Amino acid sequence: MGKLLIVGTVAFDAIETPFGKTDKILGGAATFIGLAASQFNIDCAIVSVVGEDFPKKYLDLFTQKNIDISSLKVVKGGKTFYWSGKYHNDLNVRDTLATELNVLADFNPIVPENFKDADVVMLGNLHPNIQMSVINQMEDRPKLIVLDTMNYWMDHTLKELMTVIGQIDVIAINDEEARQLTEEYSLVKAAAKIQKMGPRYVVIKKGEHGALLFHKNKVFFAPALPLDEVFDPTGAGDTFAGGFAGYLAESENISFNNLKRAVIHGSNLASFCVERFGTERIQQLDREEVNQRMDRFKELTKFDIKLK
Amino acid sequence: MGKLLIVGTVAFDAIETPFGKTDKILGGAATFIGLAASQFNIDCAIVSVVGEDFPKKYLDLFTQKNIDISSLKVVKGGKTFYWSGKYHNDLNVRDTLATELNVLADFNPIVPENFKDADVVMLGNLHPNIQMSVINQMEDRPKLIVLDTMNYWMDHTLKELMTVIGQIDVIAINDEEARQLTEEYSLVKAAAKIQKMGPRYVVIKKGEHGALLFHKNKVFFAPALPLDEVFDPTGAGDTFAGGFAGYLAESENISFNNLKRAVIHGSNLASFCVERFGTERIQQLDREEVNQRMDRFKELTKFDIKLK
């Protein structure tokens, strides 16, 4: 059984989509990553920080899912990181309405002793210095370090971000971020440039259009499952990352063929995430419905062509 | 050997992309459709109209590709349909700089006698009354009628368009057009609504993000091949349609499994189209490079997951 260490935000989200609106609900990158990863047979811990306003029921949820939260620090008198966003009719576009860092402003991640030998480290989207601090606390070089980041860090802390990118094995970013990071329009060229920066594997997330995995001169494409209802895209990218990293921690195999499977597992779990607000859907997943949907993924791109 | 009848524009295009600019070059929906379809072992004819300014070398090109142009009317003293467009850095967005209908304004399509029993009819993007006129001239109901159209006809001639949609078997439109036609954001719901309008099969083209094929409650996804260079997207959708219709005319099998293959053949040929300006690349394709690229398509989405 492999060990997965997750660092990332645990947060309150308030979300508005064309289909409805929420008050403050459970959110944050590490939350979605952890809930997705908990589908796999692994030891898993979250390193993060919340305020005293963070409900005990959410902490209990992590514990029920067998997620180690001994390094999820609760700051006395502090307030939990809060994000609010509104999606347009085109769910690919969103406005941020509010970002309150609160306790996240002084977050100093402490890796639990029993996870300093984790097999896989999943660095959720955060300040690159926090991500680097986690890497530096590992006793053994993990088998695989996976990085998520975003355009904000490219704009404001590019030097620090490049240091992290030089230390990791897999980067998972969206198409626009890959283009910004490399100044290449072609994703094939962008992925080649990123591999020269450090990561052996480049995952380019395209939301409803699926995800691409690049390694050397090879490429793999995982579609997103076309859904009847897309309700709220919040957390889909993190759920993808959690499924990806969770599967790799369980299987302890980092070949290209196994990373393909990891991308499919990530896409499969992400397809559930968007069907309800926030974590609602992925809190309640059972193995059977996950497996049934995997069968639909297999059918989705299957064809046989015999060339003459 | 099946018969494919194509109706659509034969035109001059002038194109500007971030990578270069052309004078008037060979363009038009029927041109791309015909050149793509000529990759298959079929009898193929184009019904269209051009002016006296249309160069003989272009007519000769069609003839060399074994495309019957006896119903490609050359109007004495007339000028060929002309379109000019400019693509932005994001190649998914383009501005139309000029549209001169010229001889297309009075186009009255005449189906050649020897193609009134065509197996497959490919209706390229045109006024729906012209498309309907072609359907009405067929002596036998074709095995398959494929329709391309665009938002312009939804805005201006919806009633006429709906009459055509009620008569055809496959509609091939892009995601925005599918959403406009049905007022459904979810492509799954949009495809279900369109099937109720007439077509048994719905193909939704998503450009660099691939294409979806819907039939009853089944769905198939064909990725677009990630390319080093995307030079000019003009004609990619028509090349896709030509490969799709050409393969179906050759194989004379309209099962869902065979339509999947047709979508892949279309995507494969479209991936060549975008690598050069206009028809440059697809004029010169040889069977070997087409087959080699098909192998890359097969690899692109292949994975094996065994569930416990």
Side-chain angles (χ1 to χ4, degrees):
Chain A
M1 186 153 68
K3 276 189 194 176
L4 170 64
L5 177 68
I6 298 162
V7 60
T9 55
V10 173
F12 289 131
D13 285 350
I15 303 158
E16 190 175 338
T17 80
F19 315 109
K21 201 174 163 173
T22 69
D23 289 326
K24 284 187 178 181
I25 58 172
L26 177 61
T31 302
F32 287 100
I33 295 168
L35 290 174
S38 71
Q39 288 292 318
F40 300 92
N41 189 21
I42 55 172
D43 283 326
C44 173
I46 286 177
V47 176
S48 192
V49 64
V50 291
E52 208 175 344
D53 56 351
F54 195 73
K56 183 169 177 300
K57 68 173 178 185
Y58 291 162
L59 295 174
D60 291 345
L61 172 68
F62 290 127
T63 308
Q64 281 158 29
K65 298 285 182 185
N66 280 317
I67 299 169
D68 180 325
I69 53 168
S70 58
S71 285
L72 172 56
K73 191 177 173 189
V74 182
V75 177
K76 287 258 165 73
K79 285 180 71 182
T80 299
F81 172 54
Y82 168 65
W83 175 82
S84 171
K86 179 178 172 167
Y87 292 87
H88 295 257
N89 279 327
D90 176 351
L91 291 171
N92 296 307
V93 183
R94 78 180 179 194
D95 295 330
T96 290
L97 303 178
T99 306
E100 296 171 14
L101 286 183
N102 298 330
V103 295
L104 197 65
D106 302 310
F107 177 36
N108 180 27
I110 307 292
V111 175
E113 280 304 322
N114 55 332
F115 276 85
K116 287 189 172 171
D117 61 349
D119 301 286
V120 177
V121 174
M122 177 68 228
L123 303 168
N125 174 40
L126 272 176
H127 193 299
N129 286 351
I130 297 178
Q131 296 175 321
M132 199 64 220
S133 161
V134 168
I135 295 174
N136 287 336
Q137 290 176 57
M138 302 305 291
E139 266 167 16
D140 304 318
R141 174 56 164 91
K143 289 199 189 79
L144 202 73
I145 304 177
V146 185
L147 174 79
D148 187 10
T149 186
M150 70 183 291
N151 53 355
Y152 181 87
W153 309 113
M154 296 174 195
D155 292 335
H156 296 95
T157 59
L158 184 60
K159 191 166 159 255
E160 294 88 338
L161 177 61
M162 291 306 287
T163 304
V164 178
I165 290 176
Q167 297 292 321
I168 54 133
D169 304 292
V170 185
I171 189 170
I173 51 182
N174 73 30
D175 40 2
E176 284 321 302
E177 290 156 354
R179 284 169 174 148
Q180 177 172 342
L181 187 61
T182 59
E183 296 178 341
E184 289 288 351
Y185 182 79
S186 155
L187 297 178
V188 175
K189 285 188 177 171
K193 264 198 183 176
I194 294 171
Q195 289 183 66
K196 286 189 184 144
M197 297 173 184
R200 283 176 289 156
Y201 293 104
V202 177
V203 176
I204 297 182
K205 299 176 290 181
K206 306 203 296 173
E208 66 162 325
H209 303 303
L212 289 160
L213 168 68
F214 292 92
H215 176 57
K216 294 180 182 165
N217 63 351
K218 289 179 283 196
V219 56
F220 173 67
F221 179 81
L225 197 69
L227 296 169
D228 272 34
E229 300 279 3
V230 176
F231 195 79
D232 170 22
T234 309
D238 294 312
T239 303
F240 172 87
F244 178 83
Y247 172 74
L248 290 173
E250 180 186 85
S251 56
E252 299 188 73
N253 167 350
I254 54 172
S255 68
F256 182 63
N257 272 336
N258 206 47
L259 263 79
K260 288 183 186 180
R261 295 182 195 108
V263 170
I264 294 286
H265 280 288
S267 300
N268 191 20
L269 292 173
S271 78
F272 288 101
C273 177
V274 301
E275 291 184 328
R276 298 279 186 286
F277 271 126
T279 60
E280 198 181 326
R281 188 75 171 90
I282 56 163
Q283 278 188 30
Q284 300 164 344
L285 282 178
D286 65 50
R287 174 61 60 183
E288 197 181 337
E289 62 185 342
V290 173
N291 286 352
Q292 276 171 4
R293 190 164 288 190
M294 185 61 84
D295 287 334
R296 288 169 62 192
F297 261 93
K298 290 181 179 179
E299 282 304 308
L300 185 57
T301 55
K302 210 165 77 179
F303 65 91
D304 67 296
I305 289 185
K306 285 166 198 70
L307 298 173
K308 287 161 198 166
Chain B
M1 187 153 67
K3 277 187 193 177
L4 170 66
L5 177 68
I6 298 162
V7 60
T9 56
V10 174
F12 289 130
D13 286 348
I15 302 158
E16 190 175 339
T17 80
F19 316 110
K21 202 175 162 172
T22 69
D23 289 329
K24 285 186 179 183
I25 58 173
L26 176 61
T31 302
F32 286 100
I33 295 168
L35 290 174
S38 72
Q39 287 292 319
F40 299 92
N41 189 22
I42 55 173
D43 282 328
C44 173
I46 286 178
V47 177
S48 192
V49 64
V50 293
E52 208 174 346
D53 56 352
F54 196 73
K56 184 170 176 301
K57 67 174 178 184
Y58 292 161
L59 296 173
D60 292 344
L61 172 68
F62 291 128
T63 308
Q64 283 158 27
K65 299 285 181 185
N66 282 317
I67 299 168
D68 181 323
I69 52 168
S70 58
S71 285
L72 172 57
K73 191 176 176 192
V74 182
V75 177
K76 285 260 165 71
K79 285 180 72 181
T80 300
F81 171 54
Y82 168 64
W83 175 82
S84 172
K86 179 178 172 168
Y87 292 86
H88 296 257
N89 279 328
D90 176 351
L91 292 170
N92 296 309
V93 183
R94 76 181 182 194
D95 293 331
T96 290
L97 303 177
T99 307
E100 296 172 13
L101 286 182
N102 298 329
V103 294
L104 197 64
D106 303 310
F107 176 37
N108 180 26
I110 308 292
V111 175
E113 281 302 323
N114 55 334
F115 276 85
K116 287 188 172 171
D117 62 349
D119 302 285
V120 177
V121 174
M122 176 70 228
L123 302 169
N125 173 42
L126 272 176
H127 192 298
N129 287 350
I130 297 179
Q131 295 175 322
M132 199 63 221
S133 161
V134 169
I135 294 174
N136 288 336
Q137 291 176 58
M138 301 306 292
E139 267 168 15
D140 306 316
R141 173 57 164 90
K143 289 200 189 77
L144 201 74
I145 305 177
V146 185
L147 173 80
D148 188 10
T149 186
M150 69 184 291
N151 52 354
Y152 181 87
W153 308 114
M154 297 175 196
D155 292 335
H156 296 94
T157 60
L158 184 60
K159 190 166 158 254
E160 295 88 337
L161 177 60
M162 291 306 288
T163 304
V164 179
I165 289 176
Q167 297 293 322
I168 55 134
D169 303 292
V170 185
I171 188 169
I173 53 182
N174 72 30
D175 39 2
E176 284 320 302
E177 290 155 355
R179 285 170 173 148
Q180 177 172 344
L181 187 61
T182 59
E183 296 179 340
E184 289 287 352
Y185 182 79
S186 155
L187 297 177
V188 175
K189 285 187 177 173
K193 264 197 184 176
I194 294 171
Q195 289 183 66
K196 287 190 184 144
M197 297 173 184
R200 282 176 291 157
Y201 293 104
V202 177
V203 176
I204 297 183
K205 300 177 288 181
K206 306 203 296 172
E208 65 163 325
H209 303 303
L212 288 160
L213 168 68
F214 292 92
H215 175 57
K216 295 181 181 166
N217 62 351
K218 289 180 282 194
V219 56
F220 173 67
F221 179 81
L225 196 69
L227 296 169
D228 272 34
E229 301 279 2
V230 177
F231 195 78
D232 170 21
T234 309
D238 294 313
T239 302
F240 171 88
F244 178 84
Y247 172 74
L248 291 173
E250 180 186 86
S251 55
E252 299 187 75
N253 167 352
I254 54 171
S255 68
F256 183 63
N257 272 336
N258 206 47
L259 262 79
K260 287 184 187 181
R261 295 182 195 108
V263 170
I264 294 287
H265 279 289
S267 299
N268 191 20
L269 292 172
S271 79
F272 289 101
C273 176
V274 301
E275 291 183 329
R276 298 279 185 285
F277 270 126
T279 61
E280 198 181 326
R281 188 75 172 89
I282 58 163
Q283 278 188 30
Q284 300 164 346
L285 281 179
D286 65 50
R287 174 61 60 183
E288 197 180 337
E289 61 185 342
V290 174
N291 286 352
Q292 277 172 4
R293 190 162 289 189
M294 185 61 84
D295 288 334
R296 288 170 61 193
F297 262 93
K298 290 180 178 179
E299 282 302 309
L300 186 57
T301 55
K302 209 165 75 179
F303 66 91
D304 67 295
I305 288 185
K306 284 164 199 73
L307 298 174
K308 287 162 202 168

